[in-house]
Amino acid sequence: HVIDRVFLTWHSRDELSAALPAGMLYWTCLSFAFGMASYVNTFVAQYDGAGKPDRVAASVWQGLYFSVIAGALLMLMIPFADGIFVAIGHGPTIAPLEAIYFRWLCLGGIPAILNTAMSAFFSG
């Protein structure tokens, strides 16, 4: 998000203004799924310590399934992006730009959550 905003400073003030609220809403929606996916770490560590590698694999797969489902649910917010930012009360020039940026961020939800679940395997 920081790099996006740096590049937007060179392009348009309105687009720069839209990036922060859209990014904050995206992160708010994503943070629960991140927390749940990172909890795979706990199960991997416990089952690895107990010498149950079959349960380690099952835990990681459950984390991957959860990641895909949570990312798909996040993408269900894409059609409602315009209405969300209008309902929040943002101006008519900024709200459409926020919606565009939010939609693009939502498309990256599945890979972001999958990355968290897969990295939990290695840290666990």
Side-chain angles (χ1 to χ4, degrees):
H1 297 290
V2 172
I3 300 301
D4 287 345
R5 289 194 295 269
V6 169
F7 287 137
L8 287 173
T9 60
W10 303 336
H11 190 264
S12 164
R13 292 187 98 164
D14 288 342
E15 290 175 1
L16 176 64
S17 299
L20 184 63
M24 288 172 47
L25 178 61
Y26 171 72
W27 179 250
T28 300
C29 297
L30 192 69
S31 61
F32 176 75
F34 261 25
M36 291 293 289
S38 66
Y39 204 73
V40 168
N41 180 342
T42 304
F43 290 110
V44 168
Q46 289 291 328
Y47 289 133
D48 187 46
K52 298 180 180 179
D54 57 322
R55 297 304 308 156
V56 169
S59 298
V60 173
W61 275 109
Q62 287 175 5
L64 297 178
Y65 295 143
F66 171 80
S67 300
V68 170
I69 292 168
L73 289 174
L74 183 62
M75 287 194 307
L76 288 176
M77 293 184 66
I78 290 173
F80 304 105
D82 289 315
I84 291 170
F85 291 106
V86 169
I88 292 173
H90 293 182
T93 57
I94 302 296
L97 298 173
E98 290 170 328
I100 291 169
Y101 188 60
F102 180 73
R103 284 187 197 104
W104 280 106
L105 290 174
C106 285
L107 291 175
I110 291 176
I113 303 167
L114 275 172
N115 180 36
T116 303
M118 288 188 286
S119 66
F121 168 73
F122 293 106
S123 62

